[in-house]
Amino acid sequence: VNTSLMTSGCTKRCICSPRTGLTCHAAGCPSGRVCEIRAGVRDCWPAKGLCSLSMGSNLVTFDGAHSVISSPGVYELSSRCPGLQKTVPWYRVVADVQSCHGNDKVLSKVHIFFQDGIVTVSQSKGAWVNGLRVDLPAQVLTSVSVRRLPDGSVLVHQKAGVQVWLGTDGQLNVMVGDDHVALLCGACGNFDGYPNNDIRQSQGKTPMEKWRAQDFSPCSN
């Protein structure tokens, strides 16, 4: 009695009390927290692996290094590195940063690639799966769900894999578990616990320039 529990996906919190019986209300994990079972309890726990792209295109990697996107473009934020053992599901998160409403660095949309399809999320315009717009909440692809949380943010959740959260203010969080340590590539870093190897210049380019998504490049060169 007088205990609470989260339903699968942390979409509802249910409370059992002798006075009111079992009651449930809408829930959802806020920014920086993930729905996981720890010590036998399902709840919104602090994300151990958190990469954040905030207003002004300021990036903080999984290991806490800081960088900034200095010009509009499409950037590789995070993916499971190629050629590694398939201990975690493959994913790829690509951020589309564009010039909008007088601001030259606004997160326009985020593309999340999975083994069997792609989810695109725009905070103001909704979500698409394999090019088709979907109503939220939606269970899409094989093991991916997309839903709008009570605060208006959108969460894309890959079972046993990545979680991508897009806030109403345009902040983007990429969240992974401990099983992803040292398996990741992209601007968010490799999640190995060492921030110094996350931000490196390459051939005279700024740290973020080398992470432009080649398949979204507007120029052939």
Side-chain angles (χ1 to χ4, degrees):
V1 294
N2 292 322
T3 58
S4 68
L5 57 85
M6 283 285 203
T7 60
S8 177
C10 296
T11 56
K12 293 182 179 180
R13 182 178 292 277
C14 297
I15 301 173
C16 183
S17 74
R19 185 172 62 86
T20 60
L22 181 66
T23 58
C24 299
H25 61 271
C29 296
S31 172
R33 288 180 173 261
V34 294
C35 183
E36 290 183 346
I37 298 176
R38 298 183 188 176
V41 178
R42 178 187 285 113
D43 209 335
C44 293
W45 298 97
K48 294 182 179 179
L50 171 64
C51 175
S52 178
L53 180 65
S54 61
M55 291 291 289
S57 297
N58 296 300
L59 180 78
V60 181
T61 71
F62 292 122
D63 294 323
H66 292 256
S67 186
V68 64
I69 294 177
S70 57
S71 60
V74 184
Y75 294 88
E76 302 270 4
L77 289 192
S78 184
S79 65
R80 191 192 73 195
C81 295
L84 298 180
Q85 289 185 339
K86 300 178 181 179
T87 55
V88 295
W90 180 82
Y91 74 89
R92 177 191 181 209
V93 179
V94 176
D96 189 350
V97 177
Q98 299 298 336
S99 300
C100 298
H101 311 299
N103 189 327
D104 64 348
K105 292 178 292 183
V106 173
L107 180 63
S108 171
K109 61 183 73 72
V110 57
H111 306 285
I112 309 113
F113 295 82
F114 302 101
Q115 197 69 49
D116 54 348
I118 175 176
V119 175
T120 298
V121 178
S122 167
Q123 182 55 54
S124 60
K125 297 181 180 179
W128 291 259
V129 178
N130 291 337
L132 298 176
R133 187 163 184 167
V134 296
D135 294 326
L136 302 181
Q139 185 71 35
V140 300
L141 309 180
T142 302
S143 57
V144 177
S145 64
V146 186
R147 68 179 186 272
R148 191 174 295 277
L149 302 181
D151 64 358
S153 60
V154 176
L155 179 68
V156 180
H157 185 187
Q158 179 189 34
K159 186 177 181 181
V162 69
Q163 296 187 48
V164 179
W165 177 90
L166 180 60
T168 56
D169 61 354
Q171 177 166 327
L172 178 68
N173 288 344
V174 181
M175 298 168 284
V176 295
D178 286 344
D179 49 356
H180 290 69
V181 167
L183 297 177
L184 305 180
C185 292
C188 283
N190 57 9
F191 191 31
D192 66 350
Y194 298 96
N196 291 340
N197 60 19
D198 284 347
I199 309 298
R200 294 176 178 175
Q201 290 192 343
S202 176
Q203 298 178 344
K205 297 180 179 180
T206 63
M208 288 302 301
E209 284 298 309
K210 69 176 182 178
W211 292 118
R212 284 185 180 270
Q214 296 302 305
D215 49 338
F216 286 88
S217 175
C219 301
S220 59
N221 58 352

